Amino acid sequence: MKGVDQLLGFLSHSWWLLFVFGGSIGGAVKAVGAANQRRAERRQERYRLKQQTKIEIARAKAQSHTDEQTQRREIAKIVDEHDQTEARWFGYEMSLVTLLDFPMMTDMREPLTVEFHKARRRADLLRPEDQESMVGNHEAQVEYRAAVHAYAIAFDVCESEAKRRRRSGFTAREQERLVRAQRLLRLAMDDAATPEERQSAYVKARADLDGLIVIPAGARAQLEHRIAGQIGA
């Protein structure tokens, strides 16, 4: 109580100091208030920026997810176009009888045929083993898409010309060989024929076609497997 009484006594005798330092005290109080206000505003700004950052991150993730889904759909479309073109080619590759109606499809003397097979090899080379591995790789997607389109176009051009020409690009003697080979191949695939007849027919057909057209590996392997299975039965 003694300290309080002393303070009160000091103030009662020194009240005039308020007029001397009152402005400074008021300014200090205002400065403290302004500083507090600025700190509050900075806290609000930091909070706003943090929230805005969260929103932008969420938006970026959503956009990225959408972009990836779009890429997956586009890649799937390219692969589907590749598969459809391959299926059309397999109609020739896996059937020698059909191929002999349109021998230009494997006649490597023809520039259109060479271009078609080059385009096919390139598309096969660029085809992804796993479609997911191509997501995010824009350059690979563009390169593969261009290769598949080139393959499909080259096939269309080659097939159209092959159907137009049929066997007309071969001499009369070569056409006779093609017709005979086609007849022999039908016999080689005839389940009603004996194994010996089928084997002999296939050997003779190969001889007729030797140096004339390229027999696709798939068709040759399939036919030889059928004949071998018949012989072993």
Side-chain angles (χ1 to χ4, degrees):
M1 292 297 294
K2 182 177 180 180
V4 174
D5 292 340
Q6 289 176 343
L7 176 60
L8 291 174
F10 172 78
L11 291 175
S12 64
H13 291 90
S14 306
W15 54 271
W16 53 272
L17 292 174
L18 293 175
F19 293 99
V20 177
F21 299 106
S24 299
I25 295 172
V29 170
K30 289 181 180 179
V32 171
N36 289 336
Q37 179 65 24
R38 286 195 296 273
R39 282 195 294 271
E41 290 175 353
R42 285 197 295 270
R43 282 196 299 270
Q44 291 178 353
E45 181 64 13
R46 285 195 296 270
Y47 177 78
R48 186 188 69 78
L49 291 174
K50 187 179 295 185
Q51 292 302 110
Q52 186 65 30
T53 300
K54 289 181 179 179
I55 293 173
E56 291 301 327
I57 290 174
R59 185 177 299 163
K61 287 182 177 179
Q63 183 63 44
S64 176
H65 180 71
T66 301
D67 289 344
E68 288 181 355
Q69 289 297 98
T70 300
Q71 289 181 51
R72 289 186 180 94
R73 286 193 295 270
E74 289 301 314
I75 294 168
K77 285 172 60 178
I78 302 170
V79 171
D80 182 61
E81 182 181 6
H82 194 169
D83 287 343
Q84 289 183 36
T85 308
E86 284 285 272
R88 294 173 64 190
W89 162 240
F90 286 155
Y92 298 98
E93 185 180 39
M94 302 307 291
S95 174
L96 280 177
V97 173
T98 301
L99 178 62
L100 293 182
D101 280 330
F102 312 103
M104 182 183 155
M105 295 302 292
T106 59
D107 187 353
M108 303 308 285
R109 298 172 299 178
E110 295 290 341
L112 292 179
T113 305
V114 173
E115 187 63 28
F116 153 56
H117 286 282
K118 284 173 60 178
R120 178 172 181 255
R121 283 195 297 271
R122 177 164 177 76
D124 288 345
L125 179 65
L126 294 175
R127 181 181 182 125
E129 292 185 7
D130 177 13
Q131 294 183 33
E132 194 67 22
S133 66
M134 195 172 276
V135 175
N137 191 337
H138 180 69
E139 183 178 351
Q141 292 176 40
V142 171
E143 192 174 21
Y144 178 51
R145 182 185 297 110
V148 170
H149 289 346
Y151 172 30
I153 292 171
F155 179 85
D156 285 340
V157 172
C158 185
E159 183 182 48
S160 295
E161 186 64 9
K163 288 183 176 180
R164 186 185 72 82
R165 293 189 191 182
R166 295 184 70 87
R167 300 189 183 109
S168 63
F170 295 83
T171 66
R173 175 59 181 157
E174 289 173 339
Q175 290 186 43
E176 289 178 5
R177 289 170 60 188
L178 289 171
V179 171
R180 185 169 55 248
Q182 192 175 47
R183 184 175 62 251
L184 289 167
L185 286 171
R186 287 196 174 98
L187 176 59
M189 292 185 292
D190 186 356
D191 293 335
T194 66
E196 292 75 17
E197 288 174 332
R198 296 178 69 176
Q199 179 73 16
S200 175
Y202 178 65
V203 171
K204 291 177 181 178
R206 287 289 303 273
D208 271 327
L209 295 175
D210 186 35
L212 197 57
I213 69 167
V214 176
I215 301 176
R220 185 174 62 248
Q222 184 185 58
L223 185 54
E224 290 177 353
H225 177 74
R226 286 182 60 180
I227 294 172
Q230 184 69 16
I231 293 173

